[in-house]
Amino acid sequence: MDLDLTLQLIVSGLAIGIAYGLIGLGLSLVFGVLNLINFAHGEFYMLGAFVIYTFVNLWGVPYLAAIPLTCLVLAAFGWLITATYVEPLVKTSETAMLIGTLGVSYVLLEVARIIWGADQQQIEYPWEGQTLHLLADSRVPLQQVFTGAVGIVATGALVILVYRTRYGRYMRAVAENPAAAGLCGINVKRIYRMTFAIGTAVAALAGATAGAINAHSFLSGQQIVLKAFVVVIIAGLGNIPGAIAAGILLGLVETLGGGLISPDYQNGFGYLLLVLVLLVRPDGLMSRRKVAT
Amino acid sequence: MTRATGFGVKRFTALVAVLAVGGFAACGSDDDSGSGSKAGGGGGDPIKIGAVLGSSGAIAQSGTEMLNGMKLAVEKLNAEGGIDGHKVELVHVDDQNDPQQAVTATRKVLSQGIKGLVGSSSSTDGVPIAETAKNTVPTVLALAASVEIGPKGYTNIAQMNNPAAQKEKVVVDYLTNNPDVKRVAMILQNNEFGKGYLAQYQEAFKTAGNGQEIVYSGFFQGDQTDFSALVAKAKASNPDALYIAGFAEQWIKVLNQAKDIGLTPKVVWLSPENITPSTLKLDASALEGVVSANSFNPYELSGKPEAEEFAKSYETKYGILPNFFAATAYDSVMYLAASMKAAGTVDDAKKIAAQFGKVDYTGPRGKLTLDPNRQVSLEPELVTVKSGQLAPVAE
């Protein structure tokens, strides 16, 4: 086995894996609280990439300042969508919820194409072209290191929010039983809106950071959302800290499988991992629950 | 967090499993997705020309550019009084570059009383369009570069693009005689073109006998976004030249990811027609010195009045210089119109098709001559990127 190649594959797998985890974070949060499979999550990621592209490339806002601005814009958008569209959906059937978010996904896809066009765009960032040299000439672009750091900080912040704050308690109460939470005086609608807005902002954060690693287009969200679903399943639904770990595992399996066995099936190795997890631990690798019998 | 009621873990996992199986299956094929659109032009007793091509899904970028080229052609025709006094209306149906949708889309436009048909985003949808439109209206295929269509003898069908292997020849000749090229790594899209290019270079290096060898070759799928395994393996093979073949949506990422891990060989080249104003706008510095075969250069227009006029009006309307895809799509509409004008009819399909290969037409890509199989013969130019623009490679 070529040691240099293996080291490079591990470094690349780690970097892409943390990005996968970051993209899965918001999806996990929204499912955990609203019990909503958000098929539009990928489009929020894509919108995050386009909004920061607009701030930075078109309006000249510095990249680091544009990141929180992008998250705010998308959080407001998420709040608006929940108030006008998601809340009525949550009250209906599961099928309506599924089709409803799929509908949002297609609408956003076409709207993005109309606004920003079908061309690929590259978000400008200060350390463009710079890479970090590691052992044995293995390298990782600084933007991937930055994305990884953002992913770890975002995970920490979400864990603190959900498990250490009053609002987090409300969120968990609503997740457990919305009716009982409402009877206890919790404003369930507000928790729904807040959770969805945070989920959307985290997707936008992923778009603003991971989305800048390569050129993006209006299709980027569609390509990445399946990875986010895989991450969420591997981690266990609603398991926030597990998302990053599951992302890293997925990244490593794909990259090492692709590099050491066959690049033809790089994506396939990730799905194989998913199938194995579903067979062995259907509640997720990081879940404390054992296999249901 | 856990939930007592609702959609449930089992159903969620089942759903994702179904999606994953779809994703796994897609490992062996290229899928597009998206929605349709319709474009119109002209007015007053118009004749309809059908346009079947993918303008959404994975090839949305080149498809949109093609549709823009076609719309511009219709505008020009109508501004000059139309064809035989008839204004022209373009009836576009999106086939997402999918063979099955291409059949449905072609049937749909054929049922709408069209007088002619243009289209095809590649050979993938071009072959089914040809099979569906054979012996019907005069049809001019734009991007299809299939050598299979012509020999079948469908006299109502002409092709505005020439075979990929023919285009690549100019680059093959250049590289087999390049002393800097000894150890070649090839990263290609897993489709008939990718496989065809690999076979072409294997044969060419062997025949040339200059000690050149392909030290690594690897394929990527049409839906792939991460190429780290491919570029790491290519780098481990220690190449002095790198070839990338695929659509712009992917080769740009392959090139950038290669640079990211320090794979920066002396010679880098791309499959034909791939360096365009939109890819240069994206990251011209990454493309500096990259070589490719090219049949329409919007940066070299002097002495080519048709190309100059087309490039100017395209840039005015769409805010960017046109590329090969837009020029070929424009040519397909204009060639059909020229054939109708020369035949003196918009209704007699046989008379119009009889003009294919005979009609005198000069467009943005120059004077178009067709081979006996009614397929365009164009000698592409060997180009490289110099100061952010396409320039001929100095021999």
Side-chain angles (χ1 to χ4, degrees):
Chain A
M1 195 189 295
D2 186 335
L3 189 65
D4 288 2
L5 171 65
T6 312
L7 272 170
Q8 180 61 60
L9 292 172
I10 291 171
V11 167
S12 298
L14 274 172
I16 190 77
I18 297 185
Y20 288 162
L22 180 59
I23 298 157
L25 260 186
L27 193 67
S28 190
L29 180 76
V30 169
F31 181 83
V33 177
L34 278 80
N35 194 35
L36 176 78
I37 298 171
N38 183 14
F39 276 113
H41 189 75
E43 272 53 65
F44 294 140
Y45 166 89
M46 173 269 290
L47 284 180
F50 272 120
V51 169
I52 198 164
Y53 164 79
T54 308
F55 276 129
V56 177
N57 294 39
L58 306 182
W59 297 345
V61 179
Y63 178 67
L64 289 175
I67 292 175
L69 285 176
T70 302
C71 293
L72 274 177
V73 170
L74 266 293
F77 184 58
W79 185 284
L80 193 73
I81 285 195
T82 327
T84 55
Y85 189 77
V86 174
E87 272 170 21
L89 269 186
V90 170
K91 289 176 193 156
T92 61
S93 69
E94 293 147 5
T95 318
M97 281 162 62
L98 274 182
I99 295 171
T101 60
L102 205 56
V104 173
S105 158
Y106 280 116
V107 169
L108 294 180
L109 202 64
E110 283 308 305
V111 168
R113 187 162 80 119
I114 291 164
I115 298 176
W116 288 284
D119 286 3
Q120 298 186 86
Q121 309 289 1
Q122 175 64 55
I123 301 159
E124 288 167 7
Y125 52 91
W127 39 84
E128 214 162 325
Q130 293 181 42
T131 53
L132 196 66
H133 288 232
L134 301 166
L135 277 176
D137 200 34
S138 60
R139 298 168 201 221
V140 59
L142 275 187
Q143 182 62 14
Q144 284 195 334
V145 177
F146 178 70
T147 302
V150 167
I152 288 162
V153 170
T155 305
L158 275 189
V159 168
I160 291 169
L161 173 78
V162 173
Y163 296 101
R164 294 278 181 272
T165 68
R166 188 158 50 99
Y167 278 110
R169 248 192 346 266
Y170 294 167
M171 285 160 98
R172 281 179 288 141
V174 171
E176 197 76 37
N177 191 329
L183 286 175
C184 294
I186 295 172
N187 186 339
V188 176
K189 275 189 179 175
R190 196 165 164 210
I191 294 298
Y192 277 166
R193 288 173 195 181
M194 197 179 82
T195 309
F196 200 84
I198 293 171
T200 311
V202 176
L205 181 66
T209 52
I213 295 170
N214 277 305
H216 68 274
S217 76
F218 74 107
L219 291 169
S220 295
Q222 295 233 316
Q223 292 159 344
I224 210 78
V225 77
L226 197 55
K227 304 279 184 199
F229 277 116
V230 174
V231 162
V232 168
I233 290 292
I234 294 174
L237 294 165
N239 186 335
I240 292 166
I244 291 285
I248 290 174
L249 184 63
L250 178 66
L252 283 175
V253 166
E254 279 189 358
T255 313
L256 285 170
L260 299 178
I261 304 170
S262 166
D264 290 357
Y265 290 96
Q266 182 170 338
N267 283 344
F269 292 114
Y271 298 127
L272 199 62
L273 171 71
L274 174 73
V275 171
L276 288 176
V277 169
L278 286 175
L279 285 175
V280 181
R281 286 185 75 96
D283 287 338
L285 270 191
M286 285 93 183
S287 148
R288 289 196 186 89
R289 284 168 60 186
K290 289 186 180 161
V291 180
T293 51
Chain B
M1 284 179 289
T2 57
R3 284 197 75 95
T5 58
F7 195 79
V9 172
K10 281 186 185 165
R11 270 185 275 180
F12 184 98
T13 47
L15 183 73
V16 175
V18 169
L19 289 172
V21 169
F24 211 157
C27 278
S29 66
D30 293 344
D31 286 342
D32 302 323
S33 64
S35 62
S37 66
K38 186 177 171 177
D45 187 27
I47 57 159
K48 288 178 181 171
I49 290 179
V52 175
L53 61 104
S55 59
S56 67
I59 48 114
Q61 184 170 345
S62 56
T64 305
E65 287 158 340
M66 285 180 71
L67 198 55
N68 288 344
M70 288 180 178
K71 286 179 187 168
L72 202 64
V74 168
E75 265 180 33
K76 182 177 161 64
L77 285 171
N78 287 335
E80 291 171 354
I83 304 171
D84 249 7
H86 300 275
K87 294 276 181 186
V88 179
E89 186 186 313
L90 198 68
V91 182
H92 167 236
V93 179
D94 180 13
D95 69 6
Q96 296 181 26
N97 195 31
D98 175 87
Q100 284 182 333
Q101 293 200 47
V103 172
T104 315
T106 308
R107 284 186 184 145
K108 190 173 172 184
V109 290
L110 283 172
S111 70
Q112 292 182 21
I114 54 169
K115 302 292 185 191
L117 175 64
V118 291
S120 79
S121 323
S122 69
S123 297
T124 308
D125 64 350
V127 174
I129 290 172
E131 290 297 335
T132 316
K134 66 185 174 193
N135 306 322
T136 62
V137 297
T139 300
V140 180
L141 298 178
L143 259 285
S146 172
V147 288
E148 292 172 21
I149 298 170
K152 289 185 176 172
Y154 304 149
T155 50
N156 68 316
I157 296 172
Q159 281 178 276
M160 291 291 104
N161 198 1
N162 52 336
Q166 268 182 28
K167 284 175 193 273
E168 194 68 11
K169 195 176 174 302
V170 62
V171 191
V172 172
D173 291 347
Y174 168 73
L175 289 164
T176 45
N177 293 307
N178 188 329
D180 285 336
V181 178
K182 290 286 177 208
R183 298 172 58 81
V184 178
M186 302 186 84
I187 299 179
L188 319 107
Q189 185 163 357
N190 193 3
N191 59 16
E192 62 170 302
F193 289 106
K195 287 171 186 163
Y197 291 134
L198 178 60
Q200 190 175 4
Y201 277 100
Q202 278 169 334
E203 181 64 30
F205 289 141
K206 201 170 132 190
T207 311
N210 293 333
Q212 297 163 314
E213 59 172 330
I214 297 171
V215 291
Y216 175 74
S217 64
F219 292 100
F220 57 84
Q221 309 300 331
D223 60 350
Q224 205 163 321
T225 53
D226 175 57
F227 307 93
S228 46
L230 278 169
V231 293
K233 287 200 84 164
K235 186 186 171 193
S237 70
N238 194 25
D240 49 33
L242 172 68
Y243 178 66
I244 309 169
F247 287 117
E249 283 78 359
Q250 289 182 304
W251 67 253
I252 290 173
K253 294 187 176 76
V254 177
L255 188 61
N256 281 331
Q257 290 182 20
K259 275 177 72 183
D260 284 344
I261 64 157
L263 173 57
T264 50
K266 275 186 274 186
V267 180
V268 178
W269 78 106
L270 300 167
S271 49
E273 320 290 1
N274 255 321
I275 308 174
T276 66
S278 44
T279 52
L280 285 169
K281 190 179 153 203
L282 189 66
D283 192 356
S285 63
L287 287 170
E288 198 69 18
V290 170
V291 172
S292 186
N294 183 68
S295 310
F296 174 72
N297 186 350
Y299 302 99
E300 299 269 342
L301 299 168
S302 59
K304 302 171 192 165
E306 291 84 2
E308 198 171 355
E309 186 202 339
F310 166 68
K312 270 189 184 161
S313 37
Y314 190 98
E315 193 180 18
T316 309
K317 194 166 166 67
Y318 302 110
I320 189 164
L321 281 168
N323 58 15
F324 168 78
F325 305 104
T328 308
Y330 176 91
D331 273 344
S332 62
V333 174
M334 295 306 269
Y335 194 86
L336 177 65
S339 302
M340 286 176 165
K341 285 177 184 170
T345 171
V346 294
D347 294 309
D348 191 331
K350 280 192 178 160
K351 269 191 177 172
I352 299 165
Q355 289 298 323
F356 291 166
K358 287 184 192 158
V359 67
D360 187 29
Y361 170 75
T362 302
R365 296 180 299 159
K367 185 174 166 59
L368 296 186
T369 52
L370 271 57
D371 67 17
N373 284 326
R374 297 166 304 285
Q375 186 161 15
V376 150
S377 297
L378 268 179
E379 189 66 38
E381 189 181 28
L382 184 69
V383 292
T384 186
V385 178
K386 258 188 206 162
S387 313
Q389 293 195 346
L390 273 179
V393 170
E395 294 292 339

